[in-house]
Each structure stands twice: as structure tokens, then as C-alpha cells.
Amino acid sequence: MSSITDAFRKFMADKKAADAYTNPSLSASGLAEYREKQIAPTREWVISEVKVALAREEKAQQALNDQFAKDLAPSSDPQTVIARELTWQRLSARIAAGTANVDTIAQSASAHELETLATIGAHELPEDEAAYIPEAVVRAYPALPENQELYGALASQLATAQQEAGVARAAHKIALGGELDSQDLLGLDDGDPDLFRELDDADALPVTNVQPFGHSQQLTSADVAV
């Protein structure tokens, strides 16, 4: 169980207790102030853990990006440069002859061939064809037997961090009095299915009817004020 899950679950329990509290001697504003005081400390804990979870996701994504950048960077080694040029002549001839394209080459390419596509093909092919290279290479390169251990570990770390971040984004919205859209609900369910079912069964998740259009901007650690 992650810290963000602990904090979120505690906040929801505190909020439920605060919302249920009544006192005839208090005015409406006084009652609202009392309830706010009851959940304020846990809200601060939630927001603190949200920032940590989002920063962890960003760090894991950056680690994966950095590894790709390192492995697929242009080389200063003369022998590697020559080898890539010769390989590119062979690959480009296949593309020009219509017997292969970026996707079909990437599906059966060696590490050297993928590195050649990324460093030379991306600049030599027409823009509409070169546009397919990043996705094709990023999909194929980690799947190579010699790369599976390193990239598998990085991808696993990122997946775990993304799950915590899904919980964190939902927790942040609710802690600040907002409502969850479909993207938030999916993130929470993927991040912690047990917590999602627990809160959903208790009808404790405020949900908006307004859904995100297209790809909405996700909350990052820089957006969270602690």
C-alpha cells in the first residue's frame, strides 16, 4: 500500500466523519468551519503525498527517456558512424524499392539497425515517413533480448509510478473539493482497484458529468502547491 493511498483513504474517512457531524449550537458557517478544521491536517498530508507521487512518476519517465536518448544517440566513434552509414544504405534501398517501410524494418531489426533508423533515417527520410520512426523504434528497441532486462526494469518502475500517480490525481481533486471525470476514475481504478471499489461502493466519489475532451493536460508535481 502506497503512502498516497494511505493518505487518501484517511482523508476520505475524516471527511465522512466531518460531514456527518452536527451541532445545533453552531451556525451554518460555524459548522462549516468546524468540519474544515477536522479535515485540514489530512488534506495537507494528501497534497504532500500527491506531490511526491507525481514527482516519482516524472522521475521514472525521465529515466526511461534518458536511457532511450543514450542508446539512440548519434555516435562519435568513427567505426560506428561508418557501420551505420553502410546499414542505412541497405535499409534505404529496401524502402526506396518498396519492399519495406519503417514499421516492417523495425519489427525484425537488430539493435544496430534500430539505432541507424533513429540516428540517420530520422533525418534522411521524407518527413511523412520519418514521423513513424520514433514510435516504431521505441516499441521495438526494448523488446530486443539484449535490452529486455534493462528496459523491462525501467518500464516496470514507470508503470508502478503511473499507478500511484493515478491515485494521486484523483486524491488531489477530491481533497480540493473537486469532482472526478472519466479519466480520473480510470486512473484511480488502475492505480488501486480495491480503493476504487471501496469508495465507489460507498458512493463516496464525487463525479462530474463534464468529461475531458480529447487528451486533457495531466496534473504534474509543479502544479501542486504544498
Side-chain angles (χ1 to χ4, degrees), residues 31-51:
L31 183 59
E33 182 178 351
Y34 173 85
R35 289 172 173 169
E36 171 59 28
K37 286 181 179 179
Q38 300 309 300
I39 63 173
T42 319
R43 177 190 287 121
E44 291 180 7
W45 181 24
V46 167
I47 293 175
S48 176
E49 293 297 341
V50 165
K51 194 169 185 70

Side-chain angles (χ1 to χ4, degrees), residues 100-109 117 132-133 135-137 139-140:
N101 57 37
V102 168
D103 283 331
T104 58
I105 288 173
Q107 288 171 14
S108 60
L117 269 179
Y132 293 99
I133 290 178
E135 182 179 350
V137 171
R139 182 173 60 248

Side-chain angles (χ1 to χ4, degrees), residues 56-88:
R56 186 179 294 117
E57 178 192 37
E58 291 154 15
K59 182 178 179 180
Q61 182 66 69
Q62 190 61 53
L64 183 59
N65 292 348
D66 288 348
Q67 190 63 48
F68 274 121
K70 176 184 176 182
D71 290 341
L72 302 174
S75 176
S76 59
D77 175 62
Q79 290 186 334
T80 301
V81 171
I82 293 172
R84 287 180 178 177
E85 288 288 351
L86 292 174
T87 298
W88 175 243

Side-chain angles (χ1 to χ4, degrees), residues 21-204:
Y21 177 81
T22 59
N23 188 332
S25 65
L26 292 177
S27 64
S29 60
L31 183 59
E33 182 178 351
Y34 173 85
R35 289 172 173 169
E36 171 59 28
K37 286 181 179 179
Q38 300 309 300
I39 63 173
T42 319
R43 177 190 287 121
E44 291 180 7
W45 181 24
V46 167
I47 293 175
S48 176
E49 293 297 341
V50 165
K51 194 169 185 70
V52 170
L54 297 182
R56 186 179 294 117
E57 178 192 37
E58 291 154 15
K59 182 178 179 180
Q61 182 66 69
Q62 190 61 53
L64 183 59
N65 292 348
D66 288 348
Q67 190 63 48
F68 274 121
K70 176 184 176 182
D71 290 341
L72 302 174
S75 176
S76 59
D77 175 62
Q79 290 186 334
T80 301
V81 171
I82 293 172
R84 287 180 178 177
E85 288 288 351
L86 292 174
T87 298
W88 175 243
Q89 290 178 21
R90 176 169 53 81
L91 295 179
S92 61
R94 291 172 59 191
I95 294 173
T99 59
N101 57 37
V102 168
D103 283 331
T104 58
I105 288 173
Q107 288 171 14
S108 60
S110 65
H112 171 71
E113 289 171 329
L114 290 171
E115 291 158 8
T116 298
L117 269 179
T119 55
I120 300 179
H123 305 291
E124 294 294 329
L125 286 176
E127 186 176 343
D128 59 336
E129 295 180 58
Y132 293 99
I133 290 178
E135 182 179 350
V137 171
V138 166
R139 182 173 60 248
Y141 198 77
L144 294 171
E146 63 267 38
N147 292 337
Q148 286 178 4
E149 183 176 356
L150 173 59
Y151 280 91
L154 291 171
S156 177
Q157 291 169 9
L158 177 57
T160 299
Q162 287 175 329
Q163 288 177 328
E164 290 188 2
V167 176
R169 291 186 174 95
H172 187 261
K173 273 194 177 180
I174 292 179
L176 296 184
E179 297 177 320
L180 306 184
D181 58 34
S182 58
Q183 185 172 296
D184 300 319
L185 293 171
L186 287 172
L188 177 57
D189 188 24
D190 182 59
D192 194 322
D194 291 338
L195 178 60
F196 174 81
R197 284 193 295 269
E198 175 186 323
L199 296 176
D200 190 44
D201 289 346
D203 199 24

